[in-house]
């Protein structure tokens, strides 16, 4: 099944178009094929650059781009890693809630303070 195509028009310097046409003629391929191949190669190259990866990650975390776009550019494994990381960042941590009020200082500190004894220590009272 062929991917849906979109027509793209842009202005380019005449000298660049002439170079493209010359290379396309030498390679015996259509200009469009040469341009598509060149764009795909450039996008693959950009996907390996740390700055581009960081900016794309930030755009995904900020909601400026979606998972499918990240997957298309960086691949499924990296996109899934970003998705899992974003999910962990988006989670709100649980805030503990008390059922009752805290005891007052008088109530909390009232009474005798228990002392620790070494009854469970590893020292033995047996003599050898």
């Amino acid at each position: 099944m062929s991917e849906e195509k979109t027509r793209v028009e842009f202005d380019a310097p005449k000298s660049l178009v002439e170079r493209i046409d010359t290379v396309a003629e030498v390679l015996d391929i259509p200009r469009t094929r040469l341009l598509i191949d060149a764009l795909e190669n450039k996008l693959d190259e950009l996907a390996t650059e740390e700055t581009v990866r960081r900016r794309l990650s930030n755009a995904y975390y900020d909601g400026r781009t979606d998972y499918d776009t990240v997957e298309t550019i960086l691949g499924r494994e990296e996109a899934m890693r970003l998705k899992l990381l974003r999910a962990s960042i988006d989670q709100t941590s649980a805030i503990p809630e008390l059922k009752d009020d805290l005891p007052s200082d008088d109530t909390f500190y009232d009474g005798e303070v228990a002392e620790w004894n070494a009854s469970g220590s590893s020292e033995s009272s047996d003599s050898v």
Side-chain angles (χ1 to χ4, degrees):
M1 184 171 145
S2 178
E3 186 176 348
E4 182 182 346
K5 298 187 185 244
T6 301
R7 183 169 190 80
V8 177
E9 293 184 29
F10 60 93
D11 293 326
K14 185 176 181 180
S15 61
L16 177 61
V17 174
E18 289 170 355
R19 288 173 51 204
I20 292 167
D21 286 342
T22 300
V23 172
E25 186 178 327
V26 168
L27 296 176
D28 194 28
I29 60 174
R31 176 198 297 167
T32 301
R33 180 77 262 151
L34 179 62
L35 291 170
I36 290 171
D37 290 347
L39 289 170
E40 286 177 342
N41 289 337
K42 185 60 179 178
L43 287 173
D44 289 344
E45 180 185 317
L46 287 171
T48 63
E49 291 183 12
E50 188 58 35
T51 304
V52 173
R53 296 172 73 81
R54 190 175 335 107
R55 291 178 72 176
L56 185 59
S57 297
N58 290 341
Y60 178 66
Y61 295 143
D62 295 344
R64 291 179 284 135
T65 191
D66 62 3
Y67 176 85
D68 292 336
T69 302
V70 174
E71 183 180 23
T72 299
I73 297 171
L74 299 181
R76 177 170 284 149
E77 184 177 333
E78 182 69 10
M80 184 56 69
R81 187 183 71 77
L82 292 177
K83 183 177 184 178
L84 293 171
L85 183 58
R86 182 170 125 178
S88 70
I89 290 170
D90 288 345
Q91 291 178 353
T92 55
S93 57
I95 299 172
E97 294 182 23
L98 297 173
K99 292 182 181 177
D100 299 316
D101 290 332
L102 290 173
S104 69
D105 285 349
D106 292 337
T107 303
F108 187 80
Y109 294 109
D110 187 31
E112 293 183 32
V113 176
E115 289 188 30
W116 179 82
N117 62 36
S119 63
S121 71
S122 62
E123 292 183 23
S124 167
S125 61
D126 295 336
S127 300
V128 179

